[in-house]
Amino acid sequence: MDELLDDLRSKIKEGTYPPGSQLPSGRALADSYDVSHSTIQRAIATLREQGVLVGRPGRGVFVAESSRR
C-alpha cells in the first residue's frame, strides 16, 4: 500500500489531481491500480487522516485545497 500512497501523493503534487479536484471513484482507482477496493479505501482513509484528501458526503473525495505535498 505504500507504493499506492506514494503514487497518489505524487499525482497530487504533480497536478494530475490538483487541489480542489475530485478523485476518481474508488472502483475506478482500484481498477487503475489493479488492487482491491478495500485497499483503495484504506489508502484514501490514510490520506484523509493526513489532511491530503477531504470527503464530501454524497459528493466524493477531493484533494484538500491546501494540498501541495
Side-chain angles (χ1 to χ4, degrees):
M1 187 168 84
D2 288 337
E3 288 179 29
L4 171 60
L5 289 169
D6 290 344
D7 191 62
L8 286 171
R9 283 188 198 103
S10 188
K11 287 184 176 182
I12 290 167
K13 186 176 182 179
E14 294 167 356
T16 302
Y17 302 127
S21 68
Q22 184 174 12
L23 256 54
S25 72
R27 298 235 182 258
L29 286 171
D31 289 344
S32 172
Y33 285 99
D34 196 28
V35 296
S36 71
H37 185 254
S38 63
T39 298
I40 292 294
Q41 293 303 101
R42 284 195 314 270
I44 288 172
T46 298
L47 294 173
R48 286 178 66 182
E49 288 170 9
Q50 296 172 353
V52 176
L53 299 175
V54 293
R56 296 186 184 153
R59 297 197 56 217
V61 178
F62 294 78
V63 177
E65 289 293 338
S66 62
S67 196
R68 272 290 196 204
R69 304 167 193 223

